[in-house]
Amino acid sequence: MTQSRPWIPYALILPSVVFLGLLFIVPLVQTIWLAVSDNGTPSLANMTTMVSDLNFGRSVLNTFLLTLAVVPIQIVMALTMGSMVAKMNGGRETILWIWTIPLGISDLAAGMVWLSILQNTGYLNSILFGMGLIERQTAWLTYQTPVALFIGIAIAEIWRGTAIVMIIIVAGLNQVPKEFKEAAEIFGASPWTRFTRITLPLIRPALQSALILRTVLAFEVFAVVYALGGRNFPVLVGEAYNWQNQNQNYGVAAAYAVLIMVISLAATLVYLKVVKVDPERLP
Amino acid sequence: MANIVIDNIKKSFGAFQALKGVSLTIKDGEFVSLLGPSGCGKTTLLRIIAGLETSTSGDIRIGDKSVIGLPPKDRGLAMVFQNYAVFPHMTVYENVAFGLRMQKADDARVKKQVEKAAGLLHIEAYLDRYPNKLSGGQRQRVAVARALAVEPGVLLMDEPLSNLDALLRLEMRTELKTVLQEAGTTTIYVTHDQTEAMGLSDRIAVVHDGRIEQVGTPVEVYNHPATRFVGGFIGNPPMNFITMPVTNGQVAAGSQRFAVPAQGGEIVLGLRGETVERAPTGQGLDMEVRVAEPMGSHLLLTGSILGQPARVILPATETVKNGETVGLALDPKRLTWLSPESGVSYPAAA
Ligand SMILES: Nc1ncnc2c1ncn2[C@@H]1O[C@H](COP(=O)(O)OP(=O)(O)OP(=O)(O)O)[C@@H](O)[C@H]1O
Ligand SMILES: [Mg+2]
């Protein structure tokens, strides 16, 4: 039946292709054009403006530092959490449910949650003051305390974004039949060896997806940073936002957008290469 | 010394009792098969011995030392899993080498052992391949090779040859038996293939519904099944069970008389199909033959004796027509008598 009408699958996916084409490809091309043109003629003026801006270097540095700090911690935490629930018999679903609560909160709201903890009159200061560790309200989120600010933002990001990594990793762990670990155990592998020699290689596809997704999202970090640090902690998307809204300069905003896309693509390619998934070596 | 003592092992999964008190002693270097139908608890028992599952109660001793609570790797055993559990991300070579690598064996020894095990199981040609390109039977042999490569004191095998074709299975069976005997490996071999169990084992433990029904040499188990279940499970065709009346401690089959271990009432005759001889009707038991099938090596008769279904085997030289009634003479030394109530057999007459 299907063989006699080979066009059916194509017809079925056509709407999604059209949809994506209209809502993704067209704006993408427009954005790229906006970035590399000036009044309708090709020009690098927007790029030059972007690069020579005072905040450009800092926003690149901040975004990379944040990604480098947050992503590895999230992967390690997700692996630990996933391995822990895998060993549980009862209450597994409840724990997973609680752990994924941050997923249901928008990133701006997540930023507000952490602002209420870290701001001058926040819970952290109250607790520290109550324990007698500080004598007066301390500011953590200012230009003068870059390390505390960075740590605060990183913690908020970790809190907000680990759940999605964990979900992907738990799904990956669930796919590994327990017999593989048992066989390794019989033949004398320690728990750590089982994890590194059996579990990790077998969840490579999940690990790869989690790394790509999480890294791309990390390069797009904005709302949490905006809520906690405002302009004290410039990041790439924040700069794009400022150029778009404050400065009304769409060209430079587009240049930032293109830069973020290029960085994300590069990171994805690196992961595809480094965390290679060889279908031959999968169950 | 790797003798194994299984002492009253019980295992429940929730309300379900998978093992209901299993005891079995296996001598150092002995080859014992666990034979039983699907779901009777063979894998569960093996996993408890291996330490992958905890028993609800009971004790396991390996080499006279209780291993309850010891992790699998400290029990000095290797295992072949029912579903192979061959690592998909390692080559066949690295799979077979895995146990030795964990023991930190040097490369020369690893190479020697891997080649030896691979040669034995005819998988040398695939050593560089990844398992997902192999057939089920090939993977199964990788799993066996992986277990043999570490030369364990105790080897647990869960249906290790189930996926091989008949010819290869026969060959592997003989080779396995030879190497394990040479190495003096204590082996527990799970199977539901009775010919495999009969051919390989020093002793067979017949498992049924979470219990061991009988332990004995293949000949003992075959000739004198302890229960109706064992007689029916082992042998092809299975043992015939014919309920007969007893008068004054004797059973009459035509003109043949047999003293039986009961005075009156009824008794069940356990009759192996190939122990009868053709005789004139009325001399022994008469059988109404429904279908006579010449099998080449023998003649298989299906029909009824005393109105009860029966299957017997006659020499290939006999000719019997469908619907014919044939007389069968019984060999008094090869009969088993069972209680009709409990299905347990009476001890063989000395
Ligand atoms: N983890 C478990 N949880 C619940 N029930 C189980 C579990 N493992 C086994 N069982 C049950 O215990 C019984 C024995 O299972 P087991 O796997 O030992 O059978 P088996 O004799 O190996 O069968 P087969 O020949 O089909 O492999 C089965 O009824 C099975 O459903
Ligand atoms: Mg089984």
Side-chain angles (χ1 to χ4, degrees), chain A residues 102 105-117 156-157 159-161 223-224 227-228:
Chain A
I105 297 173
S106 79
D107 45 1
L108 189 61
M112 301 315 251
V113 168
W114 282 90
L115 187 65
S116 71
I117 296 173
E157 262 301 285
W159 178 81
R160 190 186 66 82
V224 167
L228 287 179

Side-chain angles (χ1 to χ4, degrees), chain A residues 248-263:
Chain A
Q248 302 275 314
N249 189 332
Y250 304 132
V252 178
Y256 268 104
V258 170
L259 175 67
I260 294 165
M261 188 186 74
V262 168
I263 293 174

Side-chain angles (χ1 to χ4, degrees), chain A residues 200-222:
Chain A
L200 270 189
L202 289 178
I203 61 164
R204 255 179 123 88
L207 212 53
Q208 191 196 54
S209 313
L211 274 167
I212 291 175
L213 183 69
R214 203 35 230 152
T215 306
V216 168
L217 289 179
F219 283 125
E220 292 171 4
V221 67
F222 173 53

